Amino acid sequence: MDRHDGFHELDRQECLRLLSLVPIGRIVFTDDALPAVLPVNFSLDRDHSVVLRTSTVSRMAHAVDGAVVAFQADSFDEAAHTGWSVIVTGRATLVTDPREREELRAVGLRSWMAVPEEAFVRISPELVTGCILRGHWGGGERGTPPLAGVQ
């Protein structure tokens, strides 16, 4: 749906497809009653849950367990004034089942930092929204408009 402000709303399937194209996003949560935003690497699980790998001693892991959080990822091209943004909102839980943890290890998601004890956080995709911006494209050096394949 066009919002007549340069943005076009994306459906759930297109949002999930776009999320699969980028390795980094941001988790938005509450830490000691204050908003917190952290960049994280992530992957999507079979059920489209967002999965993060972190440390069992991280403040984020303890703050988000059982809480409703937001996860946002995006991609932009400044030269072409185009881009997209997707937000997943849902309950975050620490994965405690040993078999499930082993399956998530096999996916290959690695924390960018050395962690003493790993923890996996799963964000259930209860609400998935996104939009694409197709601004003015003036040609540029690459020859094709960025995001040309995005519906």
Side-chain angles (χ1 to χ4, degrees), residues 107-128:
V107 170
L109 179 63
R110 301 282 179 251
S111 176
W112 283 18
M113 300 178 354
V115 293
E117 279 188 61
E118 68 185 2
F120 291 95
V121 174
R122 176 183 302 282
I123 303 169
S124 174
E126 295 166 24
L127 178 62
V128 180

Side-chain angles (χ1 to χ4, degrees), residues 64-76:
V64 303
D65 190 26
V68 173
V69 302
F71 175 83
Q72 187 267 341
D74 54 40
S75 180
F76 292 94

Side-chain angles (χ1 to χ4, degrees), residues 39-107:
V40 292
N41 60 320
F42 74 100
S43 69
L44 292 179
D45 203 4
R46 292 181 303 272
D47 66 353
H48 305 294
S49 292
V50 174
V51 179
L52 318 174
R53 189 173 185 170
T54 187
S55 168
T56 57
V57 297
S58 79
R59 287 183 64 155
M60 183 267 292
H62 293 282
V64 303
D65 190 26
V68 173
V69 302
F71 175 83
Q72 187 267 341
D74 54 40
S75 180
F76 292 94
D77 184 319
E78 288 183 46
H81 299 196
T82 61
W84 59 265
S85 177
V86 171
I87 299 173
V88 175
T89 305
R91 189 161 307 278
T93 55
L94 286 173
V95 177
T96 57
D97 178 63
R99 188 179 61 96
E100 189 177 1
R101 289 170 54 98
E102 212 39 58
E103 289 174 5
L104 291 172
R105 272 188 208 97
V107 170

Side-chain angles (χ1 to χ4, degrees), residues 3-65:
R3 300 182 339 194
H4 305 291
D5 60 359
F7 289 94
H8 177 78
E9 291 182 26
L10 300 171
D11 65 30
R12 181 183 179 95
Q13 285 310 110
E14 183 65 4
C15 288
L16 293 170
R17 186 186 76 77
L18 290 170
L19 279 179
S20 72
L21 301 177
V22 294
I24 305 292
R26 292 155 208 79
I27 185 166
V28 182
F29 61 101
T30 303
D31 186 20
D32 288 335
L34 295 172
V37 181
L38 287 177
V40 292
N41 60 320
F42 74 100
S43 69
L44 292 179
D45 203 4
R46 292 181 303 272
D47 66 353
H48 305 294
S49 292
V50 174
V51 179
L52 318 174
R53 189 173 185 170
T54 187
S55 168
T56 57
V57 297
S58 79
R59 287 183 64 155
M60 183 267 292
H62 293 282
V64 303
D65 190 26

